[in-house]
Structures are given as structure tokens and as C-alpha cells.
Amino acid sequence: MTAAASEQAFYLRQSANTDPGPYAGLLDSAGNDVEQVFAAARNVVEHHAGLNSERIGHERLVELDIYTVRELLGRVAGRGVDDLRRPIPLQDKVVGNCLNISKLACAMLRQRGVPARLRYAYCSYFYPDFAHEQTLVEYWDDGRGRWLRGDASMNRPVLEALGNTVRIDLRDVAPELSLPIAQVWQACRTGQADFAGFGASVENRKRAGAGNVALKMLQDLACLNHVEMMPWDFAAPSARFLRSRHLDLAAFDALAALMLEGDWRDLLYVNGRLPFFAIPRRVLRRSPYTGCSVTLVKDGIWNTQ
């Protein structure tokens, strides 16, 4: 098997988080092309900050911490949903964010034999002077012979509501609109960009900066290892690099270089190329919705304490 075929086979496999379990049949109702898959994912999960945000009660925000595709599908199936192409009423959907939607789309693509993985990125099509963190779906396109990055959680009506007229194909977001985390790190470290322009919230600039970019790089690395973390999750022991007063800049420089220039296998925890970013045995969650918890990760199985 060639290196490319091996990579595709690795990301064709469902992770513990994307495995639909007994709801695999429900995924089959989503349609076959990428646009239909993305629409079906948004049909199941209503983005908490989307066009219907004012209709979502605060008590429903705890649903953002629903971790797995199995749980997401279980919620809507329990409310009588049996076809993901039919409109689902807001009260029967799951309230989530870009990660929940992307994770569901990733599961659907894998179910259809399309290699896919989640990727954290900084996207510039939300605000004119601030690159907002976003979870994208990177999937293999046989016809073009390359990986494409799609934004499953975004659609044209939302962009228009933001007053954004940028030309964008949400099935294949241009690299300059969806900057890879490692590329952002290198650009900021060499003075070509400013860490202050990249973060989680344009309203709260305190959540921008080098610490945010470092965390997103760790979470992007975890996605490549089938450990898809929430935006507010921290992997231990790697989290120690974010707790200290000063980031270990050399360690993150090395990680960024490897993510941009290395072989995909070099980024797998099991290959030991990243001794300073060990396999996460614990995921620390500091959720703004459900509080703090610890999830133990063993053999791909997640158990929240």
C-alpha cells in the first residue's frame, strides 16, 4: 500500500467520537454528495450562534457538550427523526457548534467511503480584521487527487447575515480563507502576522493571541490522531505548555514545522516523533456550559468522569 493509500485508509476509519453505532442507517438517509452531507449535518445540529440564536433558550446550551455522533443521532432519532433530508423542527434538533456539525459531517463522509478528518483552522470570512477559529472537514477528493477543506457549519444565508460578500466555495474553502493553524503560528513567529488577530472571539480579544494559537495547534494535532476535542478541551500532559507563564516556543516551532513539512505518519502519537506532546490519556474540559470534567482516553475509548 502506498503512503497516500495508507493515509486515506487511516482516515476512512471511524473514530470513537464519529462512530454512529446503531444509528448508521440514519446516516445513510443524508444524501450522497458533499453539499447534501453538509446540509444534513446542519439539519441535525442547530448552531447556537446561527440565524435562530434568539430562539434558543439558555438552558439548551448544555447540548453543546454532547460529544459523540452516536449521541447526536440518538437525540434526534429519539424524537422520531428517520430521514436527515427532511427539515427537522428546532425543538427536535441538537444545539451545537461548528465542531458538532463538522464531526457529524465527517462521520457521514466516512460512512460513504470518503476519507475525512476534522481540522482546526483560522477563517477570515467572518470578520474583516479578525481570523476566527473554526472546525473544518478535510476530505479526500478522488477526482482532484487532493484533500479539500470544507466548512460544513456555514452556509450562504449566514454569511449574508454577517454582511459578508466574499466569494467562497464552502465545499472547498480556499487556503487563504482558511489558514492552517501551523501556518498561522509560523507567520506570527516570523513577524508576518500578529497573534492578536487570531482567536476564538472577535468580541473578546482576550481569547486571542499566542496561547489560543498554541491550543488550536494541539487540538488540530489531536484531530489527526482521531482524538477530536471540543474548543474548550485541553490534552494532558500537553496542557502544561499552556499553563506556564511563557509558552515553550521552541516546542511549538518544532510542531508547526512538522505539521507543515513532515509526513502524515510523523504526526501520529504512536510513532513517537513528538515526545513533548505525548498521547493524551486525559482530556480536561473547562466547558462554559456544563463546568469542568475529566475524560480518560484509552484505546480510542472516551470515558468522562
Side-chain angles (χ1 to χ4, degrees), residues 120-158:
Y120 276 89
Y122 284 110
C123 295
S124 60
Y125 45 88
F126 294 97
Y127 308 102
D129 63 343
F130 187 82
H132 196 285
E133 69 178 56
Q134 184 78 339
T135 312
L136 303 178
V137 182
E138 193 170 56
Y139 61 97
W140 180 258
D141 185 280
D142 269 332
R144 304 186 205 189
R146 64 181 177 90
W147 293 93
L148 308 183
R149 287 193 173 194
D151 189 342
S153 66
M154 184 54 59
N155 57 24
R156 179 52 57 184
V158 174

Side-chain angles (χ1 to χ4, degrees), residues 282-302:
R282 291 179 299 152
V283 171
L284 313 177
R285 172 161 298 172
R286 295 176 182 172
S287 170
Y289 308 106
T290 58
C292 296
S293 62
V294 176
T295 296
L296 304 179
V297 184
K298 184 177 181 181
D299 299 328
I301 306 300
W302 294 50

Side-chain angles (χ1 to χ4, degrees), residues 34-35 38 106 109 114-119 136-142 144 146-151 169-173:
V34 171
E35 192 164 359
F38 286 4
C106 183
L109 289 170
V114 178
R117 55 202 181 194
L118 300 189
R119 300 301 303 267
L136 303 178
V137 182
E138 193 170 56
Y139 61 97
W140 180 258
D141 185 280
D142 269 332
R144 304 186 205 189
R146 64 181 177 90
W147 293 93
L148 308 183
R149 287 193 173 194
D151 189 342
D169 182 352
L170 293 168
R171 300 163 300 176
D172 181 18
V173 181

